[in-house]
Amino acid sequence: MAGLVRVFAPQCEILFKGAWNLASSVSRHQLRANSTASRHYRFFQKHFAVKNSVTSLGGCRAASSSSNFRGGEESEKRSTSQTESGSSGPTSNGQSADMPPVSTNDGISAAQVFNLVVEKSICAVFGPNDLQQSKVLPIIESLTDKDNIGVATVTDAAQTKRILEVTGRNSLPLFFVKGDCVGNFEDLYALKENGRLTSWLESHKYDLIVIGGGSGGLAAAKEAARLGKKVACLDYVKPSPQGSTWGLGGTCVNVGCIPKKLMHQAALLGESIKDAKRFGWDIPEGQVTHNWNRMRDGIQDYIASLNWGYRVQLREKTVTYLNSYGTFTGPHEISAKNKRGKIEKITADRFLVATGLRPRYPPAEGAKEYCITSDDLFSLPYNPGKTLCIGASYVSLECAGFLHGIGLDVTVMVRSILLRGFDQDIAGRIHKHMIAKGIKFESGVPIKFEQLEVPTNSKPGRVKVTSVNVLENGDKEEFVEEYNTVLIAVGRDAATDDCGFDVADVKTSKSGKVIGRHEQSETNPYVYAIGDVLDGCPELTPVAIQAGRVLMRRLYTGNMEMTEYDKIPTTVFTPLEYGCCGLSEEDALKQYGKENINIYHNVFVPLEYSVPERMDTEHCYCKLICLKTDDDRVLGYHILSPNSGEITQGFAIALKLGGKKADFDRLIGIHPTVAENFTTLTILKTDDAGELKASGC
Ligand SMILES: Cc1cc2nc3c(=O)[nH]c(=O)nc-3n(C[C@H](O)[C@H](O)[C@H](O)COP(=O)(O)OP(=O)(O)OC[C@H]3O[C@@H](n4cnc5c(N)ncnc54)[C@H](O)[C@@H]3O)c2cc1C
Ligand SMILES: NC(=O)c1ccc[n+]([C@@H]2O[C@H](COP(=O)([O-])OP(=O)(O)OC[C@H]3O[C@@H](n4cnc5c(N)ncnc54)[C@H](OP(=O)(O)O)[C@@H]3O)[C@@H](O)[C@H]2O)c1
């Protein structure tokens, strides 16, 4: 026994030191757990000494479904016989004397590891010659039944790399509990110390609770249920400051993409009606008007049908839907509060946070009281009338575009630049086009809103807006203007303050978003986040949906698919739609240097504009940003034209596949379309060239 202690003491020390060093980088609960170093040390001493004196390490290896894994019946037998004979403990290299050589696990694949991970309550994945192995396994054995433990040793560097890529970790060994990667042994130990592991290993009512029934949450809930899991999905909409609320489906369906695109369509139809005359349609002069209420009701009816459809889908997939607000009230417990104030407590092994974002308000007096946001606009009881859109990104420009398109007097208030983060050449072209259409732009930020007239159900009110603009020389100009409606679109925030993240130890960024590692909370391994609420995630519906589905397949089937957050195509639905994928010109030049970039571009006129003699003929534009040093590989794709969303979705695959300019050139166009312009791009963008003009087809 004394010999054993001598052998183990240095090893314990290594683990102990590791845990101590790790304390600076791990989560708050881990910090708390790691803070008592002596407790840590006693734990190791106690467990290593006692366990290893009576049980061989071979016996610690649990059954696995694959013959490539250590353990199974063979190791069970080995365990029994060795225990009976009081067989020896580890050797000085940290391995059991009777343990099969590590090389027996050669060839074990990452795929097999993840299969094991989803099958077992606790899984330990070691690298070759892992000295921790013999120390750690007895401790794991003390936590749960042997049958629930999986052990794998990975010897192949490529397979190890894949495991680390999928888990977002740096090194083996890694430990998994109920399929979730916990980290290294110190992380697992910290969970044991703070009691979380015990409650985690208990059985819970649900396999998964999804908090938030928007694009991402619904997709994930349905996918998990399809994979045979018991799932509950909570969705609850807190009313906006103006009192707007809506049904199941989240932002996209109720107050985002869907009503926005339909109102954009209403505006495009207005444009088409004007064109239609020149194409032979008789449209009585002066009789074309737009009816806000009819448009709103048509759209809202469609949304109601979608809300109903989602409920039906959840029922069909046997997902329990709770129209309740979810708050963590225990490590594995959610309190679900419905609109009558009734609270139901439910538990789960795993949680998915998909709570999305809500509109932000500027720090200006009267903003919440007298202004609306996109949460209110699409169900507004009255025609908004003369409208000020504050903000100069997606939401503001899109809303300004369709409100003007249905005939309203619209002004956009710009704090700095249009479409921050997007290609600024294109942003400038959008600006020019919107001005040409009749949309006004003001520079400044609002400082005060005063209500001059209260809106009624049939009539908008009047709001006096005071704004300030800081000039280049530092002087400030103050402006006062009256509008019927002020739409605030200055960004969106995660409303997670009251989600009980402190109870569940889910760390958030300053903006309230969940900090994740491949969608897994950095601080709580059984909590995941997807969609808008995940820090650093592009705030787009298809991203949330894809992440939800892919994550569920990864967690419940063990496949290694990952959501690819790069080269995501997107479209801004301004009057002329702007579609893009990959890098902006600014980012390409910054990343690769001007000398390494070729930019091919052109201005074109859609054929549809010709007969009606549209005035906005110089605005449609496309460009490919290519990397000279890699055979003109296309880094960035940009188009400003009608139907850009449709066109961009198709071309984006070329960027995903590493398409080169020559591939675009080899592609034969479809004539006459606007998309064919990408197959005939010959003009290189240069600093000294004048403004491009469109040529005929
Ligand atoms: C005006 C506008 C236009 C947009 N247009 C587009 C577009 O054209 N294309 C595009 O791709 N994206 C668009 N977006 C963005 C898109 O809507 C979001 O990226 C997407 O909805 C995010 O999905 P999500 O699942 O992360 O969150 P959401 O869809 O926001 O869902 C979150 C849900 O969780 C609920 N919830 C929050 N907290 C709790 C809680 N504690 N308990 C229970 N429920 C809770 C919320 O009420 C909500 O129903 C637009 C957004 C806006 C505002
Ligand atoms: N078509 C689509 O796919 C689509 C459509 C709509 C929304 N979305 C998603 O929704 C997200 C949110 O869009 P968003 O447009 O609401 O927000 P956003 O992209 O964060 O832009 C906020 C805008 O408001 C301005 N702003 C911030 N504070 C201001 C203030 N106090 N006064 C005046 N202006 C102010 C910003 O100016 P600065 O540049 O000076 O900071 C910026 O122009 C987007 O990231 C997008 O992913 C997508």
Side-chain angles (χ1 to χ4, degrees), residues 54-63 67 69-88 96-101 104-105 133 137 141 146 151:
V54 292
T55 313
S56 90
L57 291 164
C60 296
R61 305 192 188 288
S67 57
F69 300 124
R70 288 191 176 178
E73 277 176 37
E74 218 182 296
S75 49
E76 292 268 350
K77 277 185 214 145
R78 215 170 33 235
S79 164
T80 317
S81 63
Q82 284 159 354
T83 306
E84 276 166 4
S85 65
S87 162
S88 61
S96 164
D98 48 8
M99 198 164 69
T104 55
N105 292 311
Q133 195 166 155
L137 290 177
E141 249 206 333
K146 267 189 205 164
V151 179

Side-chain angles (χ1 to χ4, degrees), residues 93-350:
N93 72 357
Q95 292 189 357
S96 164
D98 48 8
M99 198 164 69
V102 170
S103 60
T104 55
N105 292 311
D106 272 357
I108 197 165
S109 69
Q112 286 167 311
V113 165
F114 286 109
N115 279 335
L116 185 71
V117 159
V118 294
E119 279 172 17
K120 301 292 176 184
S121 296
I122 298 187
C123 214
V125 182
F126 296 99
N129 305 316
D130 200 317
L131 294 180
Q132 282 195 21
Q133 195 166 155
S134 56
K135 314 292 173 295
V136 161
L137 290 177
I139 300 172
I140 293 176
E141 249 206 333
S142 73
L143 301 172
T144 187
D145 205 51
K146 267 189 205 164
D147 290 345
N148 294 332
I149 298 174
V151 179
T153 304
V154 184
T155 53
D156 181 81
Q159 298 301 318
T160 303
K161 187 166 170 257
R162 192 74 188 108
I163 292 167
L164 298 180
E165 271 166 10
V166 173
T167 54
R169 309 286 170 155
N170 298 326
S171 60
L172 295 180
L174 286 176
F175 297 85
F176 295 79
V177 176
K178 291 190 171 176
D180 301 317
C181 184
V182 161
N184 60 25
F185 181 70
E186 283 79 7
D187 298 317
L188 180 72
Y189 175 68
L191 287 169
K192 182 184 160 43
E193 270 286 86
N194 65 22
R196 295 243 157 149
L197 194 55
T198 315
S199 65
W200 195 351
L201 290 169
E202 283 164 7
S203 66
H204 299 108
K205 181 164 180 184
Y206 293 100
D207 294 309
L208 174 74
I209 293 177
V210 178
I211 314 169
S215 309
L218 286 178
K222 288 186 281 183
E223 189 68 357
R226 188 183 71 79
L227 296 170
K229 298 296 149 188
K230 196 173 175 200
V231 184
C233 179
L234 282 69
D235 189 60
Y236 188 89
V237 180
K238 286 192 174 177
S240 73
Q242 293 301 323
S244 306
T245 175
W246 48 88
L248 178 62
T251 303
C252 167
V253 171
N254 295 284
V255 287
C257 330
I258 300 294
K260 181 277 306 288
K261 181 80 188 292
L262 291 172
M263 291 199 177
H264 173 65
Q265 173 65 6
L268 295 181
L269 285 173
E271 200 71 54
S272 295
I273 291 170
K274 286 184 210 148
D275 292 354
K277 282 190 190 172
R278 295 297 297 262
F279 283 107
W281 291 96
D282 287 325
I283 294 163
E285 209 56 53
Q287 286 189 23
V288 178
T289 54
H290 183 266
N291 183 311
W292 172 269
N293 289 359
R294 207 146 16 95
M295 172 184 72
R296 180 205 57 216
D297 290 349
I299 293 171
Q300 290 300 323
D301 287 350
Y302 175 61
I303 291 172
S305 75
L306 292 178
N307 298 146
W308 172 251
Y310 291 130
R311 292 181 81 131
V312 171
Q313 283 171 16
L314 290 184
R315 206 168 38 234
E316 281 171 358
K317 302 257 186 215
T318 64
V319 172
T320 305
Y321 164 56
L322 298 171
N323 183 197
S324 301
Y325 196 79
T327 306
F328 281 99
T329 42
H332 283 268
E333 183 191 81
I334 288 275
S335 284
K337 187 175 180 183
N338 71 14
K339 63 173 177 244
R340 285 181 296 281
K342 193 175 155 225
I343 293 175
E344 185 182 348
K345 298 206 170 198
I346 48 176
T347 62
D349 284 347
R350 186 179 270 152

Side-chain angles (χ1 to χ4, degrees), residues 162 165-167 518 546 550 554 560-564:
R162 192 74 188 108
E165 271 166 10
V166 173
T167 54
H518 295 187
Q546 174 94 337
V550 167
R554 195 162 80 231
M560 292 181 286
E561 204 184 341
M562 308 285 283
T563 299
E564 294 171 20

